[in-house]
Amino acid sequence: MVAESDRCARELADARLDVVAYACLIAIMAAGTGAHEAAEERLAGTLAAAGSAVPVTSSAGALVRALQRLGASRVAIVTPYLKPLTGTVIDYLAGTASR
């Protein structure tokens, strides 16, 4: 999923976009703490190189930034994932809280 996101960004670059949102939460979170920042930066670079310098956000990044702005320290989550994937989300959020 992550590797294909660059191809998709290049294909969308000529669509006169205002913003790009990358919405594969688990693919990013499985890459480890802070991966949303790297993915957003990489996709923004891919788009810019293709002539479309637009902001990029990810579902993981949006979630992390929203929780940080809210000052949330206790969070309940409901997911459609199996327990191991839900654990990935929990670990990712815990890792970003300590940054």
Side-chain angles (χ1 to χ4, degrees):
M1 296 292 268
V2 175
E4 290 299 311
S5 64
D6 289 314
R7 177 190 54 79
C8 293
R10 283 189 298 277
E11 290 175 2
L12 291 171
D14 66 349
R16 293 194 211 156
L17 305 168
D18 293 320
V19 65
V20 168
Y22 179 53
C24 194
L25 186 81
I26 291 295
I28 289 183
M29 290 184 169
T33 303
H36 66 279
E37 295 163 333
E40 292 167 355
E41 186 176 311
R42 190 189 73 252
L43 288 171
T46 298
L47 286 157
S52 183
V54 298
V56 174
T57 191
S58 65
S59 54
L63 177 58
V64 167
R65 288 186 288 274
L67 292 173
Q68 289 171 339
R69 285 185 189 126
L70 290 169
S73 59
R74 290 175 39 113
V75 178
I77 62 172
V78 176
T79 74
Y81 310 128
L82 297 173
K83 285 185 181 185
L85 291 180
T86 300
T88 298
V89 175
I90 292 166
D91 293 345
Y92 193 88
L93 294 176
T96 58
S98 63
R99 291 178 75 197

